[in-house]
Amino acid sequence: MSFRDAIEVGDGTCLACVPDTLPIRSAGRWSRSLGRSTAKGSCVALGYEVDRCVGEVSVRTGAVASAFGIGLEMRRVRLVDDVRVVVGCGRIVALVGPSGSGKSSAMGMIARAFPLACHVMHVGFSAGKAVIDEVAVGEPLAAAISLLTSCGLGDAQLWVRPAETLSEGERFRAKLARAVSIVSRGVGVAPLLCDEYGSNLDRTTGQAVSFNLRKLVSRRGLCLVVACHGDDMLGDLQPDTVVRFSSRGQCQVEHRTAKIRHVVGFRRRLLVERGGRKDYEAFAMMHYRATDELGFVDKVFVLRERSGGGTLGIVVYSHGPLELSMR
C-alpha cells in the first residue's frame, strides 16, 4: 500500500479516509492533528511532547540540581511545535536546526507514519561484495554507474571495492545510491529519510551531491526528507519545505518553489588554470593506469574552486609513451 493511501501511526493503527478530528498517537502524547492525504501528498503533524525526568537521584545529581536550580521532578517537555508538512512524490522536506532541537524526533515521527520509509543510514551491504553489485540490482551496468556518480561516488576504483573498505564519507554516498535504487524500484512510493545529511561531506562535495539529488527526486518522483544543521546545501538541494527548529522546540515552516537548477551553486567560483606535473601526482590515488609514466607532457590544466585553492580536476595533454605506438 502506498503511503499516499494510508498512514500507519505509532500504535499500529492504519488510518485511511478518516475525519480530521480523529486523534492519533505519535509516540509521545495523543494529538488531534491528523496526517492525511492531500493533492500534493500526505500531510504529517509534527507536534511532540514527552514526560521527562532524571534517573535515580544520586549525591552528584542532587548537587548539580541544587547548584544550577534544576528540578528533578517529572515534567512535561515539548520537543517539537505543532506544525504540518506535506510529504509526497517529487518533494523534498528539510529539517534544519541545532543539535537537540527536535529534528531527529520529527524524523522519527515521519518514519513511524510511513512504514515503507527507507533510512539512508540503515541501508546495508553484503560483506565482501562490491558496491557496484549492490546498486541498481537487476538493471544495466550503466544505470548503476549513473546512480553512483550522481550520488558523488564517481571513482571506478571505489565501485569494485566492498562497502566496508570505504571511508565514512564514501560509504555514505554508496548508501545513498543504494537507497535511491531501492525506493525507485519499490511498489508505490516510500519516503527516503536522511538524518545528519551532509555531516560527513566537505562543503563542495555536499553541494554537488545535493544538486544531483534534487534532479533525482524530481525526475524519478521520489520523496526525500533530510535533517541538517545549516543552510550550506539548501541552495542546491532546493527543498519544497524547510522546517526550522530552535533550541526550545519552536518550529517555523517555509514553503518554497523548488525547481531544477542547470548549474551547481559553486560553479561561479570555479577557475581553470595552468598546472604542472606535480598537480597530476596529487591525483595519484585516483589513477587508473598501473604506471604513472606520462610520456612527454605538453600542457596541464587544473580546475580549482578558487585561485590557489585545492584542485578539483585535471587535464593532461602529452605525447603517449612509445609502448602505446601500436594503438
Side-chain angles (χ1 to χ4, degrees):
M1 179 176 291
S2 167
F3 76 93
R4 290 177 295 178
D5 302 323
I7 298 174
E8 185 175 341
V9 292
D11 59 354
T13 306
C14 189
L15 306 176
C17 302
V18 288
D20 289 357
T21 56
L22 181 66
I24 64 175
R25 180 174 294 278
S26 178
R29 58 183 282 273
W30 282 90
S31 170
R32 300 189 69 83
S33 299
L34 176 70
R36 67 182 190 277
S37 296
T38 67
K40 295 182 179 180
S42 295
C43 188
V44 184
L46 299 183
Y48 191 70
E49 289 182 351
V50 295
D51 292 321
R52 177 178 291 176
C53 67
V54 299
E56 180 181 350
V57 179
S58 64
V59 175
R60 287 190 173 186
T61 56
V64 171
S66 176
F68 292 92
I70 300 174
L72 300 181
E73 71 282 354
M74 176 81 73
R75 64 185 185 279
R76 176 60 55 88
V77 178
R78 170 158 289 275
L79 296 181
V80 180
D81 271 348
D82 284 320
V83 297
R84 294 190 178 200
V85 296
V86 176
V87 180
C89 298
R91 296 182 62 83
I92 296 179
V93 176
L95 312 177
V96 183
S99 296
S101 59
K103 303 188 304 297
S104 295
S105 297
M107 183 80 74
M109 280 182 274
I110 295 174
R112 287 188 290 273
F114 305 126
L116 297 179
C118 178
H119 293 260
V120 173
M121 301 310 295
H122 296 173
V123 170
F125 287 84
S126 303
K129 202 168 183 179
V131 169
I132 194 71
D133 293 324
E134 300 272 86
V135 174
V137 178
E139 298 183 50
L141 174 62
I145 291 176
S146 174
L147 192 50
L148 284 165
T149 303
S150 294
C151 292
L153 204 66
D155 187 351
Q157 294 195 52
L158 301 180
W159 303 339
V160 297
R161 288 167 52 183
E164 63 265 24
T165 67
L166 304 180
S167 69
E168 185 178 353
E170 292 165 348
R171 196 178 305 124
F172 166 74
R173 285 171 275 168
K175 286 185 175 185
L176 182 60
R178 178 162 164 74
V180 171
S181 69
I182 290 173
V183 298
S184 295
R185 69 171 184 265
V187 178
V189 182
L192 191 63
L193 308 180
C194 188
D195 204 355
E196 299 296 330
Y197 175 73
S199 60
N200 49 17
L201 301 177
D202 62 82
R203 187 169 183 267
T204 301
T205 302
Q207 289 177 318
V209 171
S210 300
F211 175 76
N212 288 328
L213 201 51
R214 172 73 258 185
K215 292 191 291 185
L216 285 172
V217 169
S218 298
R219 292 171 180 173
R220 298 192 179 205
L222 305 179
C223 168
L224 175 66
V225 181
V226 302
C228 53
H229 295 289
D231 292 18
D232 283 355
M233 289 167 283
L234 296 190
D236 290 292
L237 193 61
Q238 290 286 291
D240 301 89
T241 303
V242 177
V243 184
R244 297 192 180 276
F245 294 77
S246 73
S247 57
R248 297 182 178 274
Q250 298 171 332
C251 299
Q252 192 172 29
V253 181
E254 301 173 8
H255 299 289
R256 303 184 176 188
T257 301
K259 57 183 179 181
I260 299 179
R261 288 187 173 186
H262 298 291
V263 179
V264 69
F266 58 80
R267 169 65 180 84
R268 294 180 180 179
R269 302 194 301 270
L270 297 181
L271 296 173
V272 177
E273 298 180 337
R274 293 293 293 267
R277 194 183 190 93
K278 289 186 177 180
D279 293 303
Y280 179 78
E281 294 172 356
F283 287 83
M285 293 181 61
M286 303 178 66
H287 294 173
Y288 304 124
R289 290 167 52 85
T291 174
D292 289 335
E293 183 59 42
L294 283 173
F296 179 76
V297 176
D298 186 13
K299 295 177 183 178
V300 178
F301 294 94
V302 294
L303 178 69
R304 305 183 193 276
E305 188 172 353
R306 62 185 184 279
S307 182
T311 53
L312 302 178
I314 188 168
V315 175
V316 178
Y317 294 95
S318 67
H319 299 279
L322 289 177
E323 60 264 29
L324 300 180
S325 60
M326 294 300 292
R327 297 187 184 180

